Amino acid sequence: MNNIKKIAFLVFSILFGNAIMSAQSADVITSILESSSATFGQVCYLSAVQQNLISEDASFDEAIQVLYNNNQLIEKEASESPATYSDISFIFSHAWKINGGLMFRLFKNSPRYAFKQFRSDGIISSSSDPGQIASGTDLLNILLACISKYGDFDINSVDMEG
């Protein structure tokens, strides 16, 4: 299991400069990595920036408001509220076009089915609980997995030498 974490960290580090840094400021990414628990504001910020709904210098509160205004949130929460795997799945499910199962497509605005779809797609570990609070590192790993699975990012196109 330790090797998996090392590999994930290595892949994340490689992609960090190419995929994520182009969208978010280094300070925000650093603060998320250092967070023992991801926050609702951090999740909304990453999703809103990914969708180009806000600029990278926007606040977490602005990100929440933008997603709420775009009907991507059921209700607004405080930006400092801890984010669960279910919250992350639901918010990120709006950032990409996901061809999910029948229940996911029927209940697009259901955190439960977004979480189940992310588990089914391997974005979230099958041992994760929907109510479990994610760490900042977990949040960025989920973001990276979403970019890899649902985005048009191709790891083979990354220049490893320079």
Side-chain angles (χ1 to χ4, degrees), residues 77-150:
E77 290 194 34
S79 64
E80 305 83 29
S81 297
T84 64
Y85 280 97
S86 182
D87 293 331
I88 296 167
S89 301
F90 178 70
I91 293 167
F92 282 1
S93 73
H94 290 89
W96 290 274
K97 180 172 174 35
I98 300 171
N99 297 321
L102 177 63
M103 297 305 280
F104 175 76
R105 290 191 312 261
L106 286 175
F107 300 101
K108 183 78 171 161
N109 280 329
S110 169
R112 169 190 170 99
Y113 290 111
F115 174 79
K116 286 181 170 245
Q117 186 63 49
F118 274 37
R119 277 190 17 189
S120 173
D121 288 347
I123 302 295
I124 293 176
S125 167
S126 61
S127 64
S128 297
D129 181 77
Q132 180 181 350
I133 296 171
S135 70
T137 303
D138 294 336
L139 170 59
L140 291 175
N141 284 335
I142 293 168
L143 174 67
L144 181 63
C146 286
I147 290 169
S148 176
K149 176 88 174 169
Y150 308 126

Side-chain angles (χ1 to χ4, degrees), residues 20-87:
I20 296 175
M21 282 301 293
S22 65
Q24 288 90 23
S25 82
D27 293 338
V28 173
I29 298 299
T30 301
S31 72
I32 292 172
L33 275 172
E34 293 173 349
S35 299
S36 59
S37 61
T39 67
F40 193 76
Q42 291 170 338
V43 178
C44 289
Y45 173 85
L46 292 171
S47 179
V49 170
Q50 173 66 32
Q51 298 175 73
N52 294 315
L53 297 174
I54 60 171
S55 67
E56 66 182 49
D57 59 351
S59 71
F60 294 156
D61 289 326
E62 289 172 308
I64 292 169
Q65 186 63 50
V66 165
L67 293 184
Y68 184 77
N69 291 346
N70 282 286
N71 298 317
Q72 294 185 20
L73 298 177
I74 297 169
E75 60 186 44
K76 291 193 286 186
E77 290 194 34
S79 64
E80 305 83 29
S81 297
T84 64
Y85 280 97
S86 182
D87 293 331

